[in-house]
């Protein structure tokens, strides 16, 4: 299509007619007021820097034109024989009377429409005369008089050489006069139809045209289409030069400027770029038919449709070349240069307007400079920002527009990303390779080029700039981020928050992480972070402007500086502002999703990731793997992983995956601490405490447990513990790093101070409180206590393979399988039980199962007496069955060894070595005595030899074990077979109330095993000492005790003797059941006395004192003594008389 329609030409033609009337003949026309002159054919004058016409060039048309006489006002191109046939074939008849219309028609013909060489040569001469004829210059001087005076360069141009018209075309953007503007517009289309007509272009680029073989410069050898190809050839060479490191031919600097200047001058009207015009005429009709020419609108329309399937490859190549020129000089884009002209001046982005090839002219520099102003909150016009958005999108869509990418990433593109040139796919492919593992990493220079491009395009400010990301994430944005305004920078943050969730799609996930990888390497690329933190960064990290870098503080180091200050206490000073800290936390949460988003971590841990974590590919697994192998990492990696873990301990919300997984339990139990601006470890502590609630899912449980396990590696990883005990650790446990060792060290210190009744505890109160929390947490999972877990690993796999670690279930399993444990594991379990019995709060299973019962019965009890309180209320009707069962388990454990019963150990500390020393001599330190010491004390209790305190404790044990045979380890050990044979039904009863013991007593004569019989006899012996030890008898005789023996003090067999006396007293009537049970016991004791005679005088005395016939026996003993006394007295008198008689003799 023509650049201007015929009606648009009328004002110009009228203007030219007026000018011609005033200034004489032009192109052989005679001035109206002058005499008639011979017709001057349009012979070409000598060209500046142009070789003479070729000898074989047809001159017939020119000669014929010169020989034919013409009237001054009637010469027309349509009348020339050389062009008559082409004119009638190609141009509408109404244009024939206007030379300029004919010129425009023939000049803009379709490429497949050829014109005769003679006509082509005639047109060339005509155009040349238009630009060089002094008379035509006079027209320009008259029409543009004031404009010429204003433009100094044009005013100083030499007249008569065509410079003036070309200069006006050069400065047409500054022309304000309407008539002058119309004149220059028409002349522009003529000038730009041939590179040789452009002012100074031939002088500056003649050598390069020849060297690059961009076409002949001889007149007539090229048609009008080929003339545009010359400039296109030079433009492509200029672009190619920027994209190649080894330049075969380097274009001269002045020619480079001339090429870019030509591109700039043709930027408003696509007709002026002859190569692009002819390449894209059909595409313009297809995509941009309704787009009016001028102001670069057609260019922009074609740019927007560049990757459409219907776009021809020839047009796409021409558009790409022009875009590449724009990337080298932003002024090649008319709309961008115009829209941002004022803003560039305000923001001082154009420092040297005379150097279009300088740094300031590059599109990337312009974008960086203006983006810096936007990020700093400085005003940039909406029109300019709109143009910037278009060109930022353009850079992201086509990697070839960035010469640095083409130059430095060529190898990576050929190896990994070939055939992906459209819609930003190549860039994302390079990003994917850039963030890949070591085998596919890109060259550092290519990485830097990608980083620079992303900073220039700034896709974070508006995700729509990245077409590949926009298309991949459209569905996610519409569902998960629909509440955020389209184009808002928070869209990317929203997408990151939904990464690895059910709303995220795989393609979006990949594109997002590819882009985020590069964003994370420069803190400035996150506009919200930069906006909120630029003041803090300047104050604390000594940063420079948005588009400036510093070797002392590279972009990647700035964020590290910010997050180090984000978690400082008030005492440490120099903290971040609140808004900045919120953004730093947001970025940390994003980085926790993938180790590759943490540049420092990835750089230092690349080797360790390959060595230890090559198979960990799921979200968050790589960081967890590094934390698991913390001791095995190289020092640099260990340091950065340690710092990150320490940071997470203070603010667990940084671990976005864990927080997402734990959302239900957080909302149910931890919403108060989760809403706090400052975490300080409260949320993790809450999650640990509620780890086994029904709202807790597997992912959350695994995540919380993993963090607990990691905390064991270094006490610094537990923020609350670190802050509470930091000074105590330095003072009391120096050089100890592992948390479990620190806890053990501090716990031992507290224990020793307590036992020694020290005047002042060495461990501070706040540390003791937090130490208690840590001890309770460690009791929940055996893995949190490495000293217990490591010796028991083989036992766990052998005895408890299907038992879960949490809820202390694994520890409970090992306790139940204690007899089958390996020696080392058995010793550790025994020590653990010893600690738990001393401090029941550390018995996680007991505290969990009996939590409600503790609240009901033991609210006022001391923490160390909780188990004792529960035992006392064990048989209450309100006692929970599960808790009762757990209490029984602990009682069984306690009775296996006196050391597991703190009250007994304390009460009998003098009795045990006195009566049971032989047993102690045979015992090992870390293994149970299987109830031997307690059995020893029971016998001494029956013998009434124990101290009162010890006697009270043994009585309690006897009463408890009398109700449940399992509480008597010796009985259970020796009578297991007999119980199975004789008392299976009683043993299977759900509720044990002494029925098994009663069964054994009744079947005493049937017991075959001597060891078991001995234990039953011991039971009988013990029951004679106290009726409470015999629950069956006590229950049967409860009323009789109340009626007949209420005044008798319990213990030492006193109440039993009272009942026997009542039984023998015929005046007293006992309850039938009591009478029967009591008579059975007397018979059993009699049998026991026969089968187990007294072993010594003391044993005999005990048997007598506990015998039902005690009074009778004592009477008989007294009578015997009296008789012996009388006999002795009688014998003494007789012997005395005999002795005296012997003396008298």
């Amino acid at each position: 299509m023509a650049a201007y329609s015929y009606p648009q030409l009328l004002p110009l033609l009228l203007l030219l007619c007026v000018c011609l009337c005033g200034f004489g003949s032009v192109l052989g026309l005679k001035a109206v007021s002058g005499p008639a002159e011979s017709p001057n054919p349009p012979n070409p004058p000598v060209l500046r820097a142009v070789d003479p016409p070729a000898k074989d060039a047809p001159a017939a048309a020119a000669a014929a034109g010169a020989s034919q006489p013409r009237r001054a006002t009637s010469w027309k191109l349509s009348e020339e024989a050389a062009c008559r046939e082409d004119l009638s074939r190609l141009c509408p008849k109404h244009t024939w009377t206007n030379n300029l219309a004919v010129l425009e028609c023939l000049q803009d013909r379709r490429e497949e429409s050829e014109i005769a060489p003679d006509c082509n040569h005639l047109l060339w001469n005509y155009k040349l005369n238009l630009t060089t004829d002094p008379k035509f210059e006079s027209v320009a001087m008259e029409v543009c008089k004031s404009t010429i005076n204003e433009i100094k360069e044009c005013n100083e141009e030499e007249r008569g050489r065509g410079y003036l018209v070309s200069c006006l075309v050069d400065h047409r953007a500054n022309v304000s006069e309407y008539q002058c503007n119309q004149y220059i517009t028409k002349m522009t289309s003529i000038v730009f139809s041939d590179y040789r007509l452009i002012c100074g272009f031939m002088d500056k680029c003649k050598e390069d045209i020849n060297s690059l073989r961009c076409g002949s410069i001889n007149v007539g050898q090229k048609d009008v289409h080929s003339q545009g190809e010359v400039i296109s050839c030079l433009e492509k060479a200029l672009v190619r030069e920027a994209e190649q490191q080894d330049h075969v031919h380097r274009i001269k600097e002045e020619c480079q400027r001339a090429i870019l200047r030509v591109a700039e001058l043709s930027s408003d009207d696509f007709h002026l770029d002859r190569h692009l015009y002819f390449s894209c005429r059909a595409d313009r009709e297809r995509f941009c038919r309704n787009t009016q020419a001028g102001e670069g609108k057609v260019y922009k329309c074609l740019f927007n449709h560049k990757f459409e399937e219907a776009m021809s490859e020839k047009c796409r190549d021409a558009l790409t070349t022009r875009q590449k020129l724009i990337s080298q000089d932003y002024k090649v884009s008319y709309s961008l240069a115009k829209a941002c002209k004022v803003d560039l001046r305000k923001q001082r982005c154009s420092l040297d307007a005379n150097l279009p090839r300088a740094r300031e002219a590059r599109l990337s520099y312009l974008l960086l400079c203006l983006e810096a102003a936007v990020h700093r909150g400085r005003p940039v016009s909406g029109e300019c920002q709109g143009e910037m958005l278009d060109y930022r999108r353009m850079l992201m869509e086509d990697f070839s527009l960035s010469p640095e990418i083409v130059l430095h990433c060529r190898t990576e593109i050929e190896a990994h990303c070939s055939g992906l040139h459209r819609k930003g796919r190549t860039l994302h492919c390079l990003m994917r390779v850039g963030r890949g593992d070591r085998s596919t990493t890109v060259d550092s220079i290519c990485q830097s080029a990608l980083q620079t491009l992303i900073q220039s395009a700034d896709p974070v400010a508006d995700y729509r700039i990245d077409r590949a990301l926009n298309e991949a994430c459209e569905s996610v944005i519409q569902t998960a981020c629909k509440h955020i305004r389209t184009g808002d920078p928070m869209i990317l943050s929203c997408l990151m928050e939904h990464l690895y969730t059910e709303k995220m799609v795989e393609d979006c996930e990949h594109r997002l992480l590819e882009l985020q990888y590069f964003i994370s390497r420069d803190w400035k690329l996150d506009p919200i972070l930069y906006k909120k933190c630029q003041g803090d960064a300047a104050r604390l990290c000594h940063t420079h402007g948005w588009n400036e870098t510093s070797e002392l503080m590279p972009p990647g180091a700035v964020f590290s500086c910010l997050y180090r200050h984000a978690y400082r206490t008030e005492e440490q000073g120099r903290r971040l502002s609140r808004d900045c800290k919120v953004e730093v936390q947001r970025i940390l949460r994003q980085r926790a999703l993938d180790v590759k988003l943490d540049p420092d971590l990835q750089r230092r841990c690349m080797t360790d990731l390959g060595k230890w974590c090559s198979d960990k590919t799921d979200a968050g697994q790589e960081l967890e793997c590094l934390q698991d192998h913390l001791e095995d990492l190289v020092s640099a990696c260990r340091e950065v992983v340690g710092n990150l873990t320490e940071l997470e301990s203070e603010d667990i919300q940084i671990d976005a995956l864990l927080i997402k997984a734990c959302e239900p339990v957080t909302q149910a139990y931890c919403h108060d601490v989760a809403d706090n601006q400052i975490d300080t470890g409260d949320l993790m502590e809450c999650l640990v405490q509620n780890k086994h609630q029904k709202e807790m899912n597997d992912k959350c449980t695994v995540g919380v447990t993993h963090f607990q396990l990691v905390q064991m590696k270094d006490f610094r990883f537990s923020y609350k513990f670190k802050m509470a005990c930091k000074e105590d650790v330095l003072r009391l446990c120096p050089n100890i790093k592992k948390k479990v060792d620190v806890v053990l060290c501090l716990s031992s210190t507290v224990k020793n101070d307590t036992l020694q009744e020290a005047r002042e505890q060495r461990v501070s109160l706040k540390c003791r409180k937090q130490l208690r929390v840590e001890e309770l947490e460690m009791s929940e999972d055996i893995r949190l206590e490495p000293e217990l877990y490591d010796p028991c690993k083989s036992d766990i796999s052998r005895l408890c393979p299907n038992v879960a670690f949490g809820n202390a279930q694994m520890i409970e399993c090992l306790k139940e399988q204690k007899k089958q444990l390996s020696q080392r594991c058995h010793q550790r379990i025994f020590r653990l039980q010893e600690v738990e019995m001393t401090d029941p709060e550390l018995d996680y299973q007991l505290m969990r199962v009996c939590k409600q019962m503790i609240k009901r019965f033991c609210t006022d009890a001391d923490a160390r007496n909780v188990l004792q309180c529960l035992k006392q209320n064990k048989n209450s009707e309100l006692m929970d069955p599960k808790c009762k069962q757990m209490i029984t388990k602990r009682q069984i454990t306690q009775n296996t060894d006196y050391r597991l019963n703190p009250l007994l150990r304390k009460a009998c500390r003098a009795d045990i070595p006195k009566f049971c020393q032989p047993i102690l001599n045979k015992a090992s330190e870390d293994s149970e005595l299987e109830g031997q010491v307690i059995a020893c004390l029971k016998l001494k209790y029956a013998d009434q030899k124990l101290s009162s305190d010890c006697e009270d404790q043994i009585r309690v044990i006897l009463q408890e074990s009398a109700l449940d045979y399992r509480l008597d380890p010796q009985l259970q050990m020796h009578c297991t077979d007999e119980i199975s044979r004789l008392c299976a039904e009683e043993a299977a009863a759900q509720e044990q109330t002494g029925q098994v013991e009663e069964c054994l007593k009744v079947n005493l004569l049937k017991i075959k095993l001597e060891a078991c019989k001995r234990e039953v006899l011991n039971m009988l012996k013990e029951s004679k000492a106290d009726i409470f030890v015999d629950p069956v008898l006590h229950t049967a005789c409860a009323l009789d005790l109340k009626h007949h023996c209420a005044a008798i003090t319990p213990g030492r067999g006193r109440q039993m003797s009272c009942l026997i006396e009542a039984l023998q007293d015929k005046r007293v009537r006992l309850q039938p059941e009591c009478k029967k049970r009591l008579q059975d016991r007397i018979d059993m004791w009699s049998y026991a006395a026969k089968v187990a005679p007294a072993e010594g005088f003391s044993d005999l005395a005990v048997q007598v004192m506990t015998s039902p016939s005690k009074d009778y026996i004592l009477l008989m003993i007294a009578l015997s003594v009296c008789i012996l006394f009388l006999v002795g007295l009688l014998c003494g008198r007789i012997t005395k008389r005999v002795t005296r008689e012997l003396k008298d003799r």
Side-chain angles (χ1 to χ4, degrees), residues 239 252 323 466 639 647 803 827 907 1003 1052 1141:
V239 168
K252 292 188 301 182
Q323 287 177 320
D466 189 340
E639 180 185 1
L647 198 61
V803 179
Q827 291 174 350
N1003 293 284
R1052 296 185 179 271
E1141 289 178 353

Side-chain angles (χ1 to χ4, degrees), residues 982-983 986 998-1007 1084:
L982 301 173
C983 311
E986 289 82 356
E998 187 67 17
C999 172
L1000 290 172
K1001 292 173 184 176
V1002 171
N1003 293 284
L1004 179 61
L1005 298 175
K1006 298 180 181 180
I1007 296 175
M1084 290 179 188

Side-chain angles (χ1 to χ4, degrees), residues 628 630-632 708-718 721 729 733-746 771 778 784-787 790:
D628 290 338
L630 188 66
E631 299 87 350
D632 305 318
Q708 288 181 282
L709 294 173
V710 172
Q711 284 182 328
M712 292 296 107
K713 299 176 183 292
D714 195 322
F715 80 96
R716 296 179 301 118
F717 298 164
S718 179
F721 182 58
V729 172
C733 311
N735 305 322
I736 299 180
K737 190 174 182 181
K738 286 188 176 181
K739 179 180 173 182
V740 64
D741 295 333
V742 172
V743 170
L744 184 61
C745 171
L746 294 176
L771 186 62
M778 289 168 62
L784 301 180
E785 297 190 57
E787 288 191 350
D790 293 339

Side-chain angles (χ1 to χ4, degrees), residues 22 55 122 180 300 355 484 587 644 647 686 772 955 963:
K55 292 181 181 179
L122 182 65
C180 181
K300 288 189 67 175
L355 294 175
I484 304 176
I587 300 300
L644 180 59
L647 198 61
C686 177
R772 166 59 52 170
R955 184 185 303 113
L963 291 170

Side-chain angles (χ1 to χ4, degrees), residues 281-318:
R281 279 193 298 189
D283 298 285
R284 188 264 172 95
E285 288 295 320
R286 187 179 300 113
F287 298 111
C288 309
R289 174 179 295 182
N290 299 322
T291 303
Q292 187 177 358
E295 298 185 349
K297 293 178 181 178
V298 177
Y299 285 126
K300 288 189 67 175
C301 176
L302 291 172
F303 288 160
N304 291 335
H305 293 86
K306 175 179 168 182
F307 290 113
E308 297 287 344
E309 294 295 332
M311 176 70 71
S312 66
E313 284 298 326
K314 189 173 183 180
C315 180
R316 186 178 291 121
D317 292 341

Side-chain angles (χ1 to χ4, degrees), residues 1040-1050 1055 1058:
D1040 297 294
L1041 279 172
K1042 186 176 181 181
H1043 291 154
H1044 306 296
C1045 307
I1048 306 299
T1049 306
Q1055 289 187 331
C1058 174

Side-chain angles (χ1 to χ4, degrees), residues 522 550 777 803 855 928 1100 1128:
D522 190 345
S550 167
E777 288 183 6
V803 179
K855 290 181 179 180
E928 293 89 342
L1100 178 63

Side-chain angles (χ1 to χ4, degrees), residues 795-857:
D795 298 276
I796 289 171
S797 59
R798 180 168 54 90
L799 301 172
C800 310
N802 301 318
V803 179
F805 283 99
N807 254 342
Q809 294 177 77
M810 185 60 71
I811 296 176
E812 197 66 24
C813 175
L814 293 175
K815 288 177 182 177
E816 292 171 357
Q817 305 282 346
K818 190 164 54 176
K819 293 182 180 180
Q820 302 178 48
L821 297 178
S822 61
Q823 184 178 0
R824 286 186 63 216
C825 182
H826 190 280
Q827 291 174 350
R828 295 292 181 182
I829 290 293
F830 178 79
R831 290 182 188 177
L832 173 66
Q833 289 179 320
E834 191 174 1
V835 172
E836 289 178 347
M837 293 304 176
T838 306
D839 189 352
E841 263 195 322
L842 300 180
D843 189 340
Y844 187 88
Q845 275 281 28
L846 175 69
M847 301 304 290
R848 183 184 70 84
V849 174
C850 296
K851 184 177 181 180
Q852 297 302 321
M853 297 301 101
I854 292 171
K855 290 181 179 180
R856 173 173 294 171
F857 297 111

